[in-house]
Amino acid sequence: MDNKLYDKIESTGEWWLDPWWEDRNWLGAERYPIELLSEAVGVLKEFFPAEWAKQLFDNPQQNIIMPILIGHNAMALGALFHLGFMCKRARSTQGFSSIVKRLRESDSDSAFFELEMGDIFLEKEIQVDFPRPGAQKTPDIIAHCSDIKIEIECKRLRTEAWNYWENNLTTMIMSVVSEIADRDGIELQIELNDRITDICFDDEKYPGFNEAISRGIVDKIKNTVVKKLEGQKLPVEFTVSGLMVGQALCKGDPGGTYVRGAAISNIAKLRRIITNGMFRGLPQLSGKVPGVLCIYSDYLPEPELVRVILDSLTIDSSKSVQSQFSPMSALLLFPRQTIFERNPPLLFENKNALFSFPQLEAAEHIKKSFAPLVA
């Protein structure tokens, strides 16, 4: 974007002054006809006016909507189209104004997820309500399917500190490794210990710890690689016990140069989904009507592991434990999506729920909309 144009957008808040979405060179642009994109933009101008945008430019805060509106990338193009038509379908629903209010604020990621879940039913012309948050515990969405209501509770698990640290560490290592590889005309491949993120500290309690550890790790890897390469013929292998293993290969090796390996364990993924998602979401379901719990997480555990633990809690446990999960007819786990990778959600039916999921009209809408993997 031209600097003068950006300055004007920032000063006026009129994000639509740069119609970047009209560029037909974006990856996947053929899926979004110009006339429909224009319609989507028209809707978004109504709900995200210049006054709001200018205030956000003047007082920056975490918000996922603005990057969509001024995106200039293929991912934002799809999101712009999607958001515009979701808002169009939802504009007359009860409680939509509260969704828009949150979309304009720092809670925009959670509000966006709730809007997406409600849109499953709106696309099928099924009435939905977005109950206003209040003192009384209520689900995020109520879908009116035929003669029965369905409660849908949504929980979007935010990226945790360890994930930011891991991304930053990997970027730092990749920068150093790429510099060495380019200088020496070789390929360097680094596999980090997959539990390395376990060392990440709470930044608020221990300020500076993570930064110091990152620098130490990067320096150790750099010094190890440089020392191992001195006077050696390729291929060369190197190790820092407990931290990483790696190898240096001839330029042009199919694997190229990379840094990878850090990962959250399956057990840790599931524990986070249960504690931060299920335990917080279940109390919002009344148990008087069928309930579906939808959880978005950057990382999903293996389906078989989820099935074992879920059955342990809902079938093979005491009555008091089972009763805590009985309002939930089904659990839907949504993974992170990118323009290159569209993973289906995981669907888990609660076999001991008060209301059987397969018997619900909503079940077919959910399965057809997401083609989820049933486990």
Side-chain angles (χ1 to χ4, degrees):
M1 184 192 306
D2 178 79
N3 287 337
K4 289 183 178 180
L5 180 56
Y6 181 81
D7 289 343
K8 186 174 182 180
I9 290 173
E10 193 174 45
S11 64
T12 64
E14 296 178 351
W15 51 267
W16 53 85
L17 291 177
D18 176 26
W20 60 271
W21 49 84
E22 295 179 1
D23 187 343
R24 298 284 82 190
N25 292 318
W26 299 117
L27 180 65
E30 67 279 0
R31 290 179 290 184
Y32 312 110
I34 288 292
E35 60 273 15
L36 293 182
L37 278 168
S38 297
E39 183 180 353
V41 169
V43 173
L44 295 175
K45 286 168 67 175
E46 176 184 348
F47 295 112
F48 304 99
E51 296 79 11
W52 163 80
K54 186 178 186 310
Q55 186 175 11
L56 193 61
F57 281 126
D58 293 341
N59 302 284
Q61 64 174 327
Q62 182 177 342
N63 183 276
I64 68 168
I65 301 302
M66 184 57 76
I68 292 174
L69 301 180
I70 60 173
H72 275 266
N73 60 69
M75 191 73 173
L77 182 68
L80 184 85
F81 184 89
H82 187 45
L83 177 60
F85 281 95
M86 285 197 301
C87 288
K88 180 182 178 181
R89 286 186 285 267
R91 68 192 313 159
S92 60
T93 61
Q94 180 181 327
F96 178 60
S97 59
S98 65
I99 292 288
V100 172
K101 182 178 183 297
R102 291 169 54 215
L103 286 170
R104 295 173 179 175
E105 299 171 348
S106 58
D107 191 30
S108 56
D109 54 351
S110 294
F112 191 95
F113 185 42
E114 291 167 26
L115 182 59
E116 283 188 301
M117 295 302 99
D119 196 57
I120 297 174
F121 301 96
L122 291 171
E123 279 196 302
K124 304 295 182 181
E125 299 184 349
I126 296 173
Q127 178 189 345
V128 301
D129 300 330
F130 297 98
R132 295 178 183 274
Q136 183 180 2
K137 291 185 176 180
T138 56
D140 294 313
I141 303 163
I142 296 177
H144 302 266
C145 298
S146 297
D147 59 346
I148 192 169
K149 294 180 180 179
I150 309 293
E151 295 180 344
I152 300 126
E153 178 64 18
C154 305
K155 293 298 177 189
R156 183 182 177 110
L157 305 187
R158 288 189 165 88
T159 303
E160 293 188 299
W162 67 264
N163 191 216
Y164 288 116
W165 180 76
E166 181 260 326
N167 288 339
N168 184 57
L169 175 64
T170 302
T171 300
M172 292 169 65
I173 296 172
M174 188 64 191
S175 177
V176 169
V177 165
S178 296
E179 184 179 341
I180 297 172
D182 290 343
R183 182 195 66 195
D184 294 353
I186 60 175
E187 306 288 2
L188 287 172
Q189 300 174 351
I190 307 292
E191 295 277 355
L192 298 172
N193 185 322
D194 61 6
R195 300 302 299 274
I196 197 171
T197 54
D198 289 352
I199 197 63
C200 183
F201 289 86
D202 185 324
D203 272 325
E204 292 186 4
K205 291 183 179 179
Y206 308 100
F209 279 39
N210 292 330
E211 185 179 351
I213 291 171
S214 295
R215 288 198 305 269
I217 290 174
V218 173
D219 289 344
K220 181 62 178 179
I221 291 176
K222 178 180 179 180
N223 294 336
T224 298
V225 172
V226 170
K227 186 174 181 180
K228 281 288 185 179
L229 288 175
E230 290 178 354
Q232 297 294 320
K233 293 183 178 180
L234 300 180
V236 174
E237 296 183 352
F238 38 85
T239 302
V240 178
S241 183
L243 177 60
M244 67 89 181
V245 296
Q247 58 182 349
L249 303 170
C250 294
K251 187 70 173 178
D253 183 87
T257 292
Y258 62 75
V259 178
R260 64 189 184 195
I264 180 174
S265 70
N266 267 294
I267 297 297
K269 294 174 189 175
L270 181 55
R271 183 180 64 244
R272 183 170 181 248
I273 286 170
I274 292 174
T275 56
N276 295 356
M278 293 181 67
F279 287 169
R280 287 171 47 219
L282 285 168
Q284 307 301 121
L285 302 176
S286 68
K288 298 177 182 178
V289 298
V292 178
L293 184 55
C294 302
I295 300 175
Y296 175 98
S297 175
D298 284 345
Y299 302 92
L300 294 188
E302 292 297 324
E304 188 173 0
L305 173 63
V306 180
R307 186 75 266 173
V308 169
I309 300 303
L310 190 60
D311 286 349
S312 299
L313 293 170
T314 59
I315 297 176
D316 303 325
S317 58
S318 65
K319 292 293 183 183
S320 61
V321 173
Q322 290 180 25
S323 64
Q324 296 180 53
F325 294 87
S326 60
M328 181 185 72
S329 299
L331 170 67
L332 269 168
L333 301 181
F334 291 81
R336 177 171 55 188
Q337 306 288 353
T338 71
I339 193 169
F340 302 106
E341 190 175 9
R342 306 297 292 178
N343 297 312
L346 304 179
L347 170 64
F348 301 91
E349 299 169 8
N350 181 358
K351 300 174 183 177
N352 202 22
L354 293 171
F355 300 88
S356 175
F357 181 72
Q359 296 175 5
L360 304 179
E361 181 183 348
E364 288 306 310
H365 294 314
I366 291 172
K367 289 179 180 179
K368 289 178 181 178
S369 296
F370 293 105
L373 173 63
V374 181

